Amino acid sequence: MAEQDGVAAAAKAAQPKSRPVGGTEYSWCRAVPGGTGITVLAILLSKPVDIPLLENALLKLQIAHPILNSKLRYHAATNSFSYLTPPTPRLQIQPFDHSSTAEILLRRAAPSSISDFHLILEHELNRNTWHNPDPSSDSEADTFFASVYDLNGGKRVLALRLHTSACDRATAAALLTELLHPLVGGGGQEEGTQREIESEGEVGLGIEDYIPNGKANKPFWARGLDMLGYSLNSFRLSNIAFHDTESPRASQVVRLTLGKHDTRRILDGCEARGIKLFGVLSAAGLIAARASKELPDHKYEKYAVVTLMDCRSILDPVLSTNHAGFYHSAILNTHDIKGGEDIWEVAKRSYTSVANAKNNNKHFSDMGDMNFLMGKAIENPGLTPYSSMRTAFLSVFEDPIIAITHHQLGLEDFIGCSSVHGIGPTIAIFDTIRDGELDCACVYPSPLHSRHQMQGLIDDIKRILLQS
């Protein structure tokens, strides 16, 4: 009998585990086929890459975080998705030698000032493994892919590409930290914490299942009024000029960097006013957008800003910072901007509107509304100006990623961001404070906006920040 029980237990353990996706995860499953929600962590290395060692490190990450070892399965009959998690990881790195990499770079026409590393990042943002050409049939795809590209001068780019339903920005940052330890012989010091949470190969639940009791409650009439308000406001929102509304779209990136001195000045300014960095980034973006139109100073324009916040520390139970998955919520605010406004006044308004919404639990109570509106925009692009699928001018994160560049380990550079060329904002700002310097990857849809246009806008944002 004991032997039979052991065989049964072994057979059960060898079976893939499955769970349906949650509400927010489902929104990302619908968005990614259109081009929004492909998360990429690109890492520039100056030292040779030991592929077997790297593959082993990535497999350990999948064991520690089962959602990264999962397949997303689409069920055509019910138009639903689920995570299917096999008992053992199987990720293999896709290598691109020097000639293959050169071919990819040749196809990406760009100014000579843009580095090969930058172009590989954009290439990965537009590799959509999750586009199902036949939605009437079942399909499945991995949530996690890895590639290595050979560049000139003996440099390599390690690109990790993940489905955003399984990897928000906090997950990507944790992966970078966890990956460095085994590669340099440091081991995984937080492995025990990971396995306490993500035990026995189970994929953690969706964010909705961790919301503290009562925090997501909203009366039916209030939900109806909010939905009506969001819908009516969307017709009043301003955008910067579109360049090409007809051609197929892809995500491109403009990078905004500030030195240590200027970064410190801005952070000190935020601290003195009791606000966070996202407030001043939002303000600079709104002022630059309004200024690009050369309107009379007294004329107001209304812009929407989506602020994303990592909810792990306020869920029930509290999740660790390295718990893999998508555990961000979004708050949508609109702002009326006129000419000649002071950046710190706009920054204070931007921060206060988010803080007030958060105090009223709108990051939880409006989660279903945001997902519903996102789905409607995907189904009906014509509801947005020129079918652009722009739902806001700007998206920012409540807190930046704080990171260190490990040059002594051969880590020269890294960028983490997600694609936005399906549904999404005009600009998504992924901000990092790295070695004390502000480094923002600003992602936008091309050719809806041209590289020249967006570079000019980001240059204006930088100038406004420096003048602050």
Side-chain angles (χ1 to χ4, degrees):
M1 181 65 70
E3 184 178 344
Q4 289 178 344
D5 290 344
V7 171
K12 183 179 179 181
Q15 293 298 314
K17 298 180 180 181
S18 178
R19 80 153 171 87
V21 300
T24 299
E25 293 167 339
Y26 178 72
S27 292
W28 285 115
C29 289
R30 296 190 61 198
V32 171
T36 290
I38 302 168
T39 296
V40 174
L41 176 61
I43 304 167
L44 180 63
L45 300 166
S46 61
K47 296 182 178 179
V49 178
D50 186 326
I51 296 294
L53 176 65
L54 181 57
E55 277 188 343
N56 187 54
L58 293 173
L59 291 174
K60 287 182 178 179
L61 285 181
Q62 289 188 301
I63 293 171
H65 305 291
I67 197 169
L68 304 182
N69 185 38
S70 300
K71 287 181 177 290
L72 261 175
R73 174 169 286 180
Y74 172 66
H75 308 274
T78 56
N79 190 30
S80 61
F81 294 85
S82 62
Y83 294 115
L84 186 69
T85 311
T88 55
R90 67 210 171 283
L91 182 143
Q92 287 187 320
I93 295 173
Q94 183 178 11
F96 292 88
D97 61 18
H98 188 271
S99 61
S100 300
T101 303
E103 272 186 47
I104 291 169
L105 295 173
L106 192 62
R107 292 196 298 266
R108 302 198 63 82
S112 58
S113 57
I114 296 179
S115 69
D116 290 346
F117 172 59
H118 187 136
L119 292 178
I120 291 297
L121 168 70
E122 291 186 350
H123 169 70
E124 283 284 326
L125 284 172
N126 296 289
R127 295 183 71 191
N128 197 342
T129 313
W130 300 282
H131 177 67
N132 180 12
D134 183 10
S136 64
S137 64
D138 292 357
S139 62
E140 63 181 30
D142 292 335
T143 57
F144 186 17
F145 298 87
S147 303
V148 171
Y149 297 84
D150 285 0
L151 300 182
N152 289 328
K155 296 183 179 181
R156 310 284 189 277
V157 177
L158 168 62
L160 308 182
R161 180 166 44 92
L162 305 104
H163 194 286
T164 296
S165 72
C167 176
D168 58 15
R169 193 174 68 142
T171 298
L175 291 182
L176 176 62
T177 301
E178 292 176 41
L179 188 59
L180 286 177
H181 288 290
L183 288 182
V184 298
Q189 72 237 26
E190 298 180 349
E191 190 173 279
T193 305
Q194 294 161 6
R195 292 190 181 181
E196 283 176 20
I197 297 170
E198 304 179 73
S199 61
E200 298 179 4
E202 297 283 354
V203 172
L205 301 175
I207 185 173
E208 290 84 0
D209 293 305
Y210 291 121
I211 295 176
N213 189 37
K215 295 288 188 179
N217 292 348
K218 183 193 286 191
F220 179 79
W221 61 267
R223 190 172 300 280
L225 283 176
D226 281 349
M227 293 289 285
L228 182 62
Y230 284 134
S231 300
L232 292 178
N233 257 336
S234 67
F235 293 107
R236 302 165 57 202
L237 297 178
S238 299
N239 292 281
I240 60 174
F242 295 131
H243 176 70
D244 179 353
T245 61
E246 301 295 333
S247 301
R249 289 173 197 154
S251 288
Q252 292 184 343
V253 181
V254 174
R255 207 164 177 181
L256 186 161
T257 59
L258 295 180
K260 287 185 180 180
H261 174 68
D262 292 317
T263 300
R264 189 69 262 161
R265 286 175 56 221
I266 290 172
L267 294 177
D268 287 345
C270 291
E271 185 177 355
R273 294 165 176 83
I275 66 175
K276 291 188 174 184
L277 177 62
F278 78 84
V280 74
L281 290 178
S282 299
L286 296 174
I287 291 170
R290 167 62 177 70
S292 70
K293 300 189 177 182
E294 300 180 354
L295 299 170
D297 280 354
H298 67 274
K299 182 175 175 59
Y300 282 90
E301 289 219 306
K302 185 182 292 290
Y303 293 93
V305 178
V306 172
T307 306
L308 293 156
M309 55 196 64
D310 183 4
C311 294
R312 287 170 173 80
S313 64
I314 53 175
L315 296 176
D316 184 18
V318 170
L319 302 181
S320 74
T321 56
N322 57 7
H323 187 98
F326 190 91
Y327 295 103
H328 278 62
S329 64
I331 289 177
L332 174 66
N333 290 114
T334 58
H335 301 279
D336 294 320
I337 305 295
K338 68 176 182 177
E341 293 206 66
D342 176 72
I343 183 173
W344 289 109
E345 291 179 3
V346 179
K348 185 71 173 179
R349 295 205 313 260
S350 299
Y351 171 79
T352 302
S353 62
V354 173
N356 288 341
K358 192 174 180 182
N359 287 337
N360 291 319
N361 293 318
K362 289 181 76 67
H363 54 305
F364 288 142
S365 63
D366 284 14
M367 191 177 293
D369 300 343
M370 295 291 99
N371 291 334
F372 176 79
L373 292 171
M374 184 175 178
K376 286 300 177 186
I378 292 171
E379 293 170 4
N380 305 281
L383 295 176
T384 58
Y386 297 95
S387 297
S388 63
M389 299 188 77
R390 295 310 98 194
T391 53
F393 168 66
L394 195 66
S395 73
V396 292
F397 287 86
E398 182 186 23
D399 295 300
I401 295 294
I402 309 298
I404 298 173
T405 305
H406 297 270
H407 293 288
Q408 72 277 16
L409 308 180
L411 176 61
E412 284 202 2
D413 199 357
F414 61 89
I415 304 176
C417 57
S418 299
S419 61
V420 299
H421 57 277
I423 185 173
T426 293
I427 309 172
I429 298 181
F430 296 82
D431 56 330
T432 301
I433 305 294
R434 183 171 53 186
D435 303 328
E437 300 182 346
L438 178 63
D439 188 347
C440 300
C442 306
V443 190
Y444 65 92
S446 171
L448 188 66
H449 298 291
S450 69
R451 196 184 292 273
H452 175 77
Q453 175 191 21
M454 297 308 288
Q455 182 65 64
L457 185 68
I458 299 304
D459 287 345
D460 286 343
I461 292 175
K462 181 173 181 176
R463 175 182 53 78
I464 292 167
L465 288 172
L466 291 175
Q467 289 176 350
S468 70

